[in-house]
Amino acid sequence: MDRSMSSSKNNSTEFGHNAAATSASTATATPWGNDKESPNNEDDSNEDDGDTATPAKVTDPLAPRLANNERVLVVSVTERQRETWGQKAEFLLAVIGFAVDLGNVWRFPYICYQNGGGAFLVPYCVFLIFGGLPLFYMELALGQFHRCGCLSIWKRICPALKGVGYAICLIDIYMGMYYNTIIGWAVYYLFASFTSKLPWTSCDNPWNTLNCMPVTNENFTELATSPAKEFFERRVLESYKSNGLDFMGPVKPTLALCVFGVFVLVYFSLWKGVRSAGKVVWVTALAPYVVLIILLVRGVSLPGADEGIKYYLTPEWHKLKNSKVWIDAASQIFFSLGPGFGTLLALSSYNKFNNNCYRDALITSSINCLTSFLAGFVIFSVLGYMAYVQKTSIDKVGLEGPGLVFIVYPEAIATMSGSVFWSIIFFLMLITLGLDSTFGGLEAMITALCDEYPRVIGRRRELFVLLLLMFIFLCALPTMTYGGVVLVNFLNVYGPGLAILFVVFVEAAGVFWFYGVDRFSSDVEQMLGSKPGIFWRICWTYISPVFLLTIFIFSILGYKEMLGEEFYYPPWSIQVGWAVTCSSVMCIPIYMIYKFFIASRGNCKQRMQQSFKPDVSCGSVVPGQQGTSV
């Protein structure tokens, strides 16, 4: 927020004091030299009839001393009020839409059955309660109390850690470069579905190879490829025309057009801020649930669905002895709830000051986790059906990640009656799931920069959003080449995948250890009327930071597993990947050095205080107190 424009409400500038003093004095003290020029003749009763007037005695010590014939120009400084959500439901839907993304559909079900089925829910719930939920609650409370984005907020918490905000903005750019491309794939499938017969049903298409064979064929073997797989790899991506990252080939025009359409939708959803985004989320956040329920009803009615669901939920308790199960549960909770991307800060900053963010955190995080659980039923009922059709086991049918929603599920849809209808609503669901998440990530960066640079960017939001999205689209063009799918996976790991874990750890350390849990709890008390309980304070002080640091260390050690074995990555690309990761992480130490040695003044102790203590010149954010910007 432009703080220079928000001072008149509290009379914190010289103009504000002069205006207050002038209006506080009696009407006869209005220092206009002639009653004809007075703005209110009825109040000039003590003025002489001559050309001059003697000012009345001024009792207010702050009132300016005026000589005869001097005039005061009272300037009205208009405060820039921060936007708020039109309805409470809009905020809840925006948060739910951001948290519930494509990973809830293609990652959670796979990780669940891979790590012990129903037994996996034990570590999942443990890390939800002790790790994910406290961080989720923290970000909602921080954004709502300080009412600014991930850059400006650090002046009020720990100025030296402002680099965290710049790191988040850079991570959001990396995420926008590949995530919108995945949505573009879904858009391609959606348009391809508007036919009398789905194009991945048979093997008689120009892009099919001699190895293509329908999965319903009794002679189908591991050497054969399904029509759905060839449609994705040879029609949508055309990845056979590239050589991975060594030669990615030119941009595929039809795919670029689909991704461009996604960017257009994103622009018109974000250009007006919460006024436009608040209306869009009614569709993008609710539509996936309607489709999920429809697909669930259809899925459980298919033959073999019960075996799939049994496979999904049957607990394998012995797997809980494996540390990988616990690490996977912690990672899934973190990336599912999405703290650290700046989105929760941005969305909650548009709340009213006394909104019950504690209840919001419980509601939205619970809905997110229940959605993942529901998606598991939708996916595994269909996987059970596919195993029944192919007369094989479920573990030979399932795939993780994009392959699950772009190959396996379309494969199953093609064998159903009314396949065109099921395909259309399925890919509409994927598009709306993706759009909500990309809205959130980009809004985090937009809010942060508009708050930090209100005069240059904040007043020109529409133009800034347009230029930003044009820049990200141009940066994303390599992901739309024939080898773009390799780059998408590459950016997913080295863009936000590793860096965000370290960034959020530093964010948590800054809030809980530098700013202090006690001070943060007092902020929450001012909003909600009561301090957070001992459970939350213990989690914030000890458990949540350790939770983040543990995930980060194990992710660094297992980065090769994150990349997977599906694609080949030349040695030079690994070096580039670590450079991409470091580009965002290094924002933190670089800004700390800048703040301490350049932006601070005085001796070492004074510089330390200016760097790591909240900036008192920011004023209060509590409504009714001096310096508030609410």
Side-chain angles (χ1 to χ4, degrees), residues 393-630:
S393 59
I394 294 175
D395 59 331
K396 294 182 180 179
V397 175
L399 287 173
E400 182 189 9
L404 180 61
V405 295
F406 291 112
I407 297 176
V408 177
Y409 211 94
E411 209 167 64
I413 287 174
T415 64
M416 301 179 189
S417 58
S419 57
V420 171
F421 169 75
W422 299 116
S423 179
I424 290 172
I425 66 168
F426 176 72
F427 288 108
L428 275 175
M429 179 192 72
L430 292 186
I431 292 168
T432 53
L433 280 173
L435 283 175
D436 271 336
S437 296
T438 200
F439 290 164
L442 292 172
E443 182 59 47
M445 178 170 44
I446 294 166
T447 295
L449 293 172
C450 286
D451 287 343
E452 183 67 13
Y453 308 104
R455 295 189 178 184
V456 177
I457 297 177
R459 296 177 181 177
R460 303 172 180 85
R461 179 185 171 103
E462 293 89 347
L463 177 61
F464 170 68
V465 173
L466 176 63
L467 295 176
L468 175 67
L469 292 180
M470 287 175 61
F471 170 74
I472 296 176
F473 177 77
L474 292 175
C475 292
L477 283 175
T479 66
M480 306 168 214
T481 59
Y482 296 129
V485 64
V486 185
L487 185 58
V488 166
N489 190 59
F490 178 84
L491 287 173
N492 182 43
V493 175
Y494 288 111
L498 295 172
I500 192 64
L501 294 167
F502 178 75
V503 170
V504 181
F505 170 72
V506 176
E507 176 188 345
V511 175
F512 301 145
W513 297 344
F514 288 95
Y515 187 68
V517 170
D518 290 339
R519 183 182 295 177
F520 178 66
S521 298
S522 297
D523 294 345
V524 174
E525 183 181 18
Q526 291 185 71
M527 292 188 295
L528 306 184
S530 60
K531 280 190 175 182
I534 186 68
F535 166 78
W536 299 106
R537 297 201 295 273
I538 291 175
C539 286
W540 288 330
T541 307
Y542 306 108
I543 300 176
S544 294
V546 172
F547 164 78
L548 289 168
L549 188 59
T550 302
I551 303 175
F552 175 67
I553 292 173
F554 277 92
S555 296
I556 291 291
L557 296 176
Y559 78 94
K560 290 184 178 179
E561 186 177 336
M562 295 177 68
L563 281 173
E565 299 178 354
E566 185 177 359
F567 306 112
Y568 168 72
Y569 295 92
W572 64 263
S573 68
I574 304 300
Q575 298 173 5
V576 173
W578 286 113
V580 171
T581 297
C582 291
S583 66
S584 54
V585 170
M586 290 303 294
C587 291
I588 298 173
I590 289 173
Y591 190 86
M592 289 178 69
I593 294 171
Y594 163 78
K595 180 64 179 177
F596 184 82
F597 290 102
I598 300 176
S600 300
R601 298 289 182 269
N603 56 37
C604 183
K605 183 178 180 181
Q606 291 171 330
R607 288 172 183 263
M608 288 290 290
Q609 186 170 2
Q610 293 171 39
S611 299
F612 294 96
K613 296 292 183 182
D615 188 350
V616 295
S617 65
C618 291
S620 172
V621 294
V622 182
Q625 291 189 7
Q626 186 76 10
T628 182
S629 61
V630 177

Side-chain angles (χ1 to χ4, degrees), residues 165-193:
Y166 287 109
I168 289 173
C169 290
L170 199 53
I171 287 172
D172 287 334
I173 290 177
Y174 291 146
M175 190 169 178
M177 285 170 58
Y178 75 87
Y179 199 81
N180 291 311
T181 300
I182 297 175
I183 304 173
W185 298 346
V187 172
Y188 192 105
Y189 268 88
L190 177 65
F191 282 107
S193 300

Side-chain angles (χ1 to χ4, degrees), residues 24-43:
S25 60
T26 60
T28 57
T30 306
W32 296 80
N34 193 306
D35 59 272
K36 294 180 181 179
E37 297 178 1
S38 171
N40 189 346
N41 292 336
E42 294 179 0
D43 294 333

Side-chain angles (χ1 to χ4, degrees), residues 52 60 93 108 111 141 153 170 187 250 261 311 343 358 380 445 453 457-458 535 596:
T52 61
D60 190 340
L93 290 174
F108 175 83
I111 287 184
I153 196 172
L170 199 53
V187 172
Y311 193 85
T343 303
Y358 171 65
F380 273 88
M445 178 170 44
Y453 308 104
I457 297 177
F535 166 78
F596 184 82

Side-chain angles (χ1 to χ4, degrees), residues 372-394:
S372 298
F373 194 58
L374 173 66
F377 284 94
V378 174
I379 296 298
F380 273 88
S381 61
V382 171
L383 290 181
Y385 165 69
M386 287 303 295
Y388 172 83
V389 170
Q390 297 179 33
K391 296 180 175 58
T392 185
S393 59
I394 294 175

Side-chain angles (χ1 to χ4, degrees), residues 267-286:
Y267 174 73
F268 285 107
S269 300
L270 296 179
W271 70 322
K272 293 293 186 182
V274 295
R275 285 178 293 168
S276 55
K279 304 300 182 290
V280 174
V281 293
W282 283 98
V283 176
T284 56
L286 292 178

